Amino acid sequence: MTVTESVATTIRSIRAQVAALHAELPRNGLVVWTAGNVSARVPGADLLVIKPSGVSYDEITADNMVVTDLDANLVDGEMAPSSDTAAHAYVYKHMPHVNGVVHTHSTYATAWSARAEPIPCVLTMIADEFGGEIPVGPFALIGDDSIGQGIVTTLSGHRSPAVLMRNHGVFTIGASARAAVKAAVMCEDVARTVHIARQLGTPLPIAQNDVDSLYARYQNVYGQA
Amino acid sequence: MTVTESVATTIRSIRAQVAALHAELPRNGLVVWTAGNVSARVPGADLLVIKPSGVSYDEITADNMVVTDLDANLVDGEMAPSSDTAAHAYVYKHMPHVNGVVHTHSTYATAWSARAEPIPCVLTMIADEFGGEIPVGPFALIGDDSIGQGIVTTLSGHRSPAVLMRNHGVFTIGASARAAVKAAVMCEDVARTVHIARQLGTPLPIAQNDVDSLYARYQNVYGQA
Amino acid sequence: MTVTESVATTIRSIRAQVAALHAELPRNGLVVWTAGNVSARVPGADLLVIKPSGVSYDEITADNMVVTDLDANLVDGEMAPSSDTAAHAYVYKHMPHVNGVVHTHSTYATAWSARAEPIPCVLTMIADEFGGEIPVGPFALIGDDSIGQGIVTTLSGHRSPAVLMRNHGVFTIGASARAAVKAAVMCEDVARTVHIARQLGTPLPIAQNDVDSLYARYQNVYGQA
Amino acid sequence: MTVTESVATTIRSIRAQVAALHAELPRNGLVVWTAGNVSARVPGADLLVIKPSGVSYDEITADNMVVTDLDANLVDGEMAPSSDTAAHAYVYKHMPHVNGVVHTHSTYATAWSARAEPIPCVLTMIADEFGGEIPVGPFALIGDDSIGQGIVTTLSGHRSPAVLMRNHGVFTIGASARAAVKAAVMCEDVARTVHIARQLGTPLPIAQNDVDSLYARYQNVYGQA
């Protein structure tokens, strides 16, 4: 594969963004040791940038991020890519609106996934960001594109940018890698809050039309234009 | 609206205070990502200073805080105000003794709110700061003054500076913005402790006259004159 | 009261120690905002050094620590002493081997105290440091020596350096202020671990003779000579 | 015992590694105060390097680490070795493939140990690192080689590098001290996640052949060659 000058410049920028976003995972308590990863699509090319496999968060730099094609083949970089690369690649190939993917084993979200139980939409924050319950994806082995298929099947046509992969952890998608990181942070936050609410009783439901209103406002009005 | 020289000086000072107080929210584990906000009334004017919408806690400065009137209209600042501004404004308009308002989705307090369950006064720390149970306010949509109405209705005539808004999170009020931040920190602390106490049994009650004594001492004797 | 040159030198040293030890409380997650306090007896004088009331942990310095006599009267310092001073003073007056006292509302220990339930000795770490269960003291109002009486009555003749004061929090004692801080840190740690163990079943007991062996070894062999 | 020049150089290097790895224990929330310790075998000699007893994590340096033989006798160092040294030494003596040992009282893992309950393999992360459930070892007093015997008996012929010693805490082993630290971090992480999953129901099992596939891939493919 020939990488043009312009794509090379873009890749340098994406490497730096992906490296910087990885710092948000330990900072927000979503990962331990070398677990978890962030990737971003390279705009204008069938490429992605992702964390190398088994590398500590202390050692992540723009330079050691790796570039693969959308079949998870290494295109640029000195290290072996994350063992979750095939899952990320499959998502980019089948969901063209997705430009960022994040994977974590964050504690509370993974606990819901171990029971294969979706997180019900009982907080305004869930309605805002996820537009309804956070769904559960199938059990899948790591390494090939089984996980990618599970993500795409579960999230297609769903408002939620997060899926709880059974007995495994969380994958989130976004229009940018930063948006996918945000979804991963909020997924763990609401997974924890609803877990705690459930420990002492049953959270009250939110009416569907209120969920719809909250989702529409947050997606369209919240933040800066 | 004409802002006089004196009010302009006050606003500069309040912007700096409000920006600095925002740092207490992540520091005390009350917020994730861009959620949560602190506001302060501008003394001598029908104005408030508040966080802009959807801005990261890393990026908060005195300069990017925004000023609105008590109908939530932007008066000064480059960014759109917090989407909770109408709620804050309504409180200042209807509770003249309030000079600071804080909103968070802190985990344990929000869990109580999801069950619409008040936090019972079973710790001396709750008697000290809240003077009794921490009450629950109604479910309300975000963006207009419904939340503000719920806060004012629930807290009027109540000792507690905190209200658990159903399925949403916490709002606290104070004679200063710092006092409202303190109430938000203590609300989460006691929400967590009572939750944990309840997990393995029933906390013992505190007699009403003891609650009254503790509250009177803490409000009048505690701290520096 | 006349403070001799030698005692003045000692007080300067104790002020510095007490100020430094306060940093361990937030660092170990035992306190929020201004809650909690550490004191130390002034050797060779009927005096103690303690935190001023309602002061933030960010603002604590050797210079703003306050000195009181063992009736809690201010002897030296610019600020009002902690509202728990009478409790600390009562302990020093009635337990001559105690040279340090710590008070916190640490979450898990306070949760046990809210149910008036002692923490059972089901971990080697509890046998090591506490020599048996961590006992519960009576409910007492804040400000006079009721709390001090409750501490002394509960801990006299008990191995444990920690008492869970009902519906309130933890007091720990030690041969030094540092030892009392250590006991406060370990009390919260074991309160949390036993709570979590209890959530999913019943921790196994440790035989009394094993508790005795562990306690004897830890008190006499552990650490540096 | 005569220490050759070459071994002396190796010891200097191992002291530095062991000192540095101790920083990972508080950083990952596995220890409080002076509890916990890391050791490493000295390659080419029947020696180990370990933390001195009762020393704060703030005060750990390469120079104050201590060297003992595999009967836990002090060979080099100014301070008394950890009171867990006999347990570490016994492991090195009886498990020649082990070059690092870690001991913690990390909260969730210790809670499982207090109930003498193994952690079931219900997460892909457990299959990856532990290859099945994390087993429970016997109750044993501290100080002699009882704990060492319990570790060796439990882990011999087991995939798991971690054992939950009853009513006590966790010991982990590894081909390097860093690998043992990693196992300690992951043990607490999965202990917490499975605990939380169990609080609201029953985690789904993972089929044995899937556990085997995950374990084989993680041990052989994950990370950098």
Side-chain angles (χ1 to χ4, degrees):
Chain A
M1 168 178 284
T2 306
V3 172
T4 67
E5 187 68 25
S6 150
V7 170
T9 304
T10 303
I11 286 174
R12 269 197 295 279
S13 160
I14 300 286
R15 278 174 177 277
Q17 289 170 36
V18 170
L21 283 168
H22 272 95
E24 295 292 343
L25 304 191
R27 184 191 188 191
N28 285 281
L30 305 187
V31 292
V32 297
W33 214 250
T34 62
N37 38 71
V38 178
S39 72
R41 188 195 291 274
V42 179
D46 287 338
L47 298 172
L48 64 89
V49 173
I50 195 166
K51 180 174 175 289
S53 182
V55 167
S56 158
Y57 283 84
D58 294 343
E59 295 165 1
I60 286 177
T61 63
D63 283 347
N64 64 20
M65 295 295 100
V66 296
V67 182
T68 76
D69 65 22
L70 299 192
D71 294 312
N73 301 304
L74 185 66
V75 170
D76 187 42
E78 316 248 316
M79 302 177 98
S82 164
S83 63
D84 297 305
T85 303
H88 292 245
Y90 190 94
V91 172
Y92 292 119
K93 209 167 191 176
H94 294 83
M95 300 184 103
H97 61 293
V98 170
N99 295 308
V101 176
V102 172
H103 172 47
T104 80
H105 303 146
S106 67
T107 301
Y108 286 85
T110 301
W112 289 91
S113 90
R115 294 190 311 267
E117 194 176 348
I119 302 172
C121 185
V122 293
L123 298 173
T124 56
M125 198 189 204
I126 303 178
D128 284 352
E129 174 71 12
F130 302 95
E133 72 173 23
I134 301 177
V136 175
F139 181 81
L141 289 177
I142 297 166
D144 63 15
D145 62 11
S146 315
I147 290 177
Q149 291 180 32
I151 299 167
V152 170
T153 303
T154 310
L155 294 185
S156 292
H158 206 293
R159 284 173 178 171
S160 172
V163 52
L164 311 173
M165 293 300 287
R166 219 196 83 186
N167 296 94
H168 184 165
V170 181
F171 281 83
T172 60
I173 58 176
S176 67
R178 185 171 185 81
V181 171
K182 182 193 185 189
V185 171
M186 293 180 79
C187 180
E188 179 64 7
D189 193 58
V190 300
R192 179 170 46 233
T193 304
V194 179
H195 176 89
I196 290 167
R198 277 271 302 274
Q199 289 187 308
L200 297 182
T202 304
L204 300 180
I206 301 180
Q208 184 61 46
N209 60 328
D210 288 333
V211 171
D212 295 344
S213 295
L214 288 162
Y215 182 67
R217 188 199 60 83
Y218 192 77
Q219 300 301 319
N220 298 311
V221 178
Y222 185 82
Q224 303 300 320
Chain B
M1 169 179 284
T2 305
V3 172
T4 69
E5 187 69 25
S6 150
V7 169
T9 304
T10 302
I11 287 175
R12 269 197 295 278
S13 161
I14 300 286
R15 277 173 177 276
Q17 289 169 36
V18 170
L21 284 168
H22 273 95
E24 295 292 343
L25 303 191
R27 184 190 186 191
N28 285 280
L30 305 186
V31 292
V32 297
W33 213 249
T34 62
N37 38 70
V38 178
S39 72
R41 186 195 292 274
V42 179
D46 287 339
L47 299 172
L48 65 89
V49 173
I50 196 166
K51 180 176 175 288
S53 183
V55 167
S56 159
Y57 282 84
D58 294 343
E59 295 165 359
I60 286 177
T61 64
D63 283 348
N64 63 21
M65 294 295 100
V66 297
V67 182
T68 76
D69 64 24
L70 299 192
D71 293 312
N73 300 305
L74 185 65
V75 170
D76 188 43
E78 316 250 315
M79 302 176 98
S82 163
S83 62
D84 297 303
T85 303
H88 292 245
Y90 190 93
V91 172
Y92 291 120
K93 209 168 192 175
H94 294 83
M95 300 184 103
H97 61 292
V98 170
N99 296 306
V101 176
V102 172
H103 172 47
T104 80
H105 304 146
S106 66
T107 301
Y108 285 86
T110 301
W112 289 91
S113 89
R115 295 189 310 268
E117 194 176 347
I119 302 173
C121 185
V122 294
L123 298 173
T124 57
M125 199 189 203
I126 304 178
D128 284 352
E129 175 72 12
F130 302 95
E133 72 174 25
I134 301 177
V136 175
F139 181 81
L141 289 176
I142 297 166
D144 64 15
D145 63 11
S146 315
I147 291 177
Q149 291 180 33
I151 299 168
V152 170
T153 303
T154 310
L155 294 185
S156 293
H158 205 292
R159 285 173 176 171
S160 172
V163 53
L164 311 173
M165 293 299 287
R166 220 195 84 186
N167 297 95
H168 184 165
V170 181
F171 280 84
T172 60
I173 59 176
S176 67
R178 184 170 186 81
V181 171
K182 181 191 185 190
V185 171
M186 294 181 78
C187 180
E188 179 63 7
D189 194 58
V190 301
R192 178 171 45 234
T193 304
V194 179
H195 176 89
I196 290 167
R198 277 271 304 275
Q199 288 187 308
L200 298 181
T202 305
L204 300 179
I206 302 180
Q208 184 61 46
N209 60 329
D210 288 333
V211 171
D212 294 346
S213 295
L214 288 162
Y215 182 67
R217 186 198 63 82
Y218 192 77
Q219 299 301 319
N220 299 310
V221 178
Y222 184 83
Q224 304 299 321
Chain C
M1 166 177 287
T2 305
V3 173
T4 69
E5 187 68 25
S6 150
V7 170
T9 304
T10 302
I11 287 175
R12 268 197 295 279
S13 161
I14 300 286
R15 278 173 177 278
Q17 289 169 35
V18 170
L21 284 168
H22 273 95
E24 295 291 344
L25 304 190
R27 183 189 187 191
N28 286 280
L30 305 185
V31 292
V32 297
W33 213 248
T34 63
N37 37 71
V38 178
S39 73
R41 187 195 290 275
V42 179
D46 286 339
L47 299 173
L48 65 89
V49 173
I50 195 166
K51 179 176 176 287
S53 183
V55 167
S56 159
Y57 283 83
D58 293 343
E59 295 166 0
I60 286 177
T61 64
D63 283 347
N64 65 20
M65 294 296 98
V66 295
V67 182
T68 77
D69 64 23
L70 299 192
D71 294 312
N73 300 305
L74 185 66
V75 171
D76 187 43
E78 316 249 315
M79 301 176 99
S82 163
S83 62
D84 298 303
T85 302
H88 292 245
Y90 189 93
V91 172
Y92 292 119
K93 210 167 192 174
H94 294 83
M95 301 184 102
H97 61 292
V98 171
N99 295 308
V101 176
V102 172
H103 172 47
T104 80
H105 303 146
S106 67
T107 301
Y108 285 85
T110 301
W112 289 91
S113 90
R115 293 189 311 267
E117 194 176 346
I119 301 172
C121 185
V122 293
L123 298 173
T124 56
M125 198 189 204
I126 303 178
D128 284 351
E129 175 72 11
F130 302 95
E133 72 173 24
I134 301 177
V136 175
F139 181 82
L141 288 176
I142 298 167
D144 64 15
D145 62 12
S146 316
I147 290 176
Q149 291 181 31
I151 299 168
V152 170
T153 303
T154 310
L155 294 185
S156 293
H158 206 292
R159 284 173 178 171
S160 172
V163 53
L164 311 173
M165 294 299 288
R166 219 195 82 186
N167 297 94
H168 183 166
V170 181
F171 280 84
T172 60
I173 58 176
S176 67
R178 184 169 186 81
V181 170
K182 182 192 185 190
V185 171
M186 292 180 79
C187 180
E188 179 63 7
D189 194 58
V190 300
R192 178 171 46 232
T193 304
V194 179
H195 176 89
I196 290 168
R198 277 271 302 275
Q199 288 187 310
L200 298 182
T202 305
L204 300 180
I206 301 180
Q208 184 62 45
N209 60 328
D210 288 333
V211 170
D212 295 344
S213 296
L214 288 162
Y215 182 67
R217 187 198 62 82
Y218 192 77
Q219 300 300 319
N220 299 311
V221 178
Y222 185 83
Q224 304 299 321
Chain D
M1 168 178 287
T2 305
V3 173
T4 68
E5 187 69 23
S6 149
V7 170
T9 304
T10 302
I11 287 175
R12 269 197 295 280
S13 161
I14 301 285
R15 278 174 177 276
Q17 289 170 35
V18 170
L21 283 168
H22 273 96
E24 295 292 343
L25 304 190
R27 183 190 187 191
N28 286 280
L30 305 186
V31 293
V32 298
W33 214 249
T34 63
N37 39 71
V38 179
S39 72
R41 187 194 291 274
V42 178
D46 286 338
L47 299 173
L48 65 88
V49 173
I50 196 167
K51 179 174 175 288
S53 183
V55 167
S56 159
Y57 282 84
D58 294 343
E59 295 166 0
I60 286 178
T61 64
D63 283 347
N64 64 20
M65 294 297 97
V66 295
V67 182
T68 76
D69 64 22
L70 300 192
D71 294 312
N73 300 305
L74 185 65
V75 171
D76 187 44
E78 318 249 314
M79 303 176 97
S82 164
S83 63
D84 297 304
T85 303
H88 292 245
Y90 190 93
V91 172
Y92 292 120
K93 210 169 192 174
H94 293 82
M95 301 184 103
H97 62 292
V98 171
N99 295 307
V101 176
V102 171
H103 173 47
T104 80
H105 303 146
S106 66
T107 301
Y108 285 86
T110 301
W112 289 91
S113 90
R115 294 189 312 267
E117 194 176 347
I119 302 173
C121 185
V122 294
L123 298 173
T124 57
M125 198 189 204
I126 303 179
D128 284 351
E129 174 72 11
F130 302 96
E133 72 173 23
I134 301 177
V136 175
F139 180 81
L141 288 177
I142 297 166
D144 62 16
D145 61 12
S146 317
I147 290 177
Q149 291 181 31
I151 299 168
V152 171
T153 303
T154 309
L155 294 186
S156 293
H158 205 294
R159 284 174 177 169
S160 172
V163 52
L164 311 173
M165 293 300 287
R166 218 195 84 186
N167 297 95
H168 184 166
V170 181
F171 280 84
T172 60
I173 58 176
S176 67
R178 185 170 185 81
V181 171
K182 182 193 185 189
V185 171
M186 292 180 79
C187 181
E188 179 63 7
D189 194 57
V190 300
R192 178 170 47 233
T193 304
V194 179
H195 176 90
I196 290 167
R198 278 270 303 276
Q199 289 187 309
L200 297 182
T202 305
L204 300 180
I206 301 180
Q208 185 61 46
N209 60 327
D210 288 333
V211 171
D212 295 344
S213 296
L214 288 162
Y215 182 67
R217 187 198 62 81
Y218 192 77
Q219 299 301 318
N220 299 310
V221 179
Y222 185 83
Q224 304 298 320

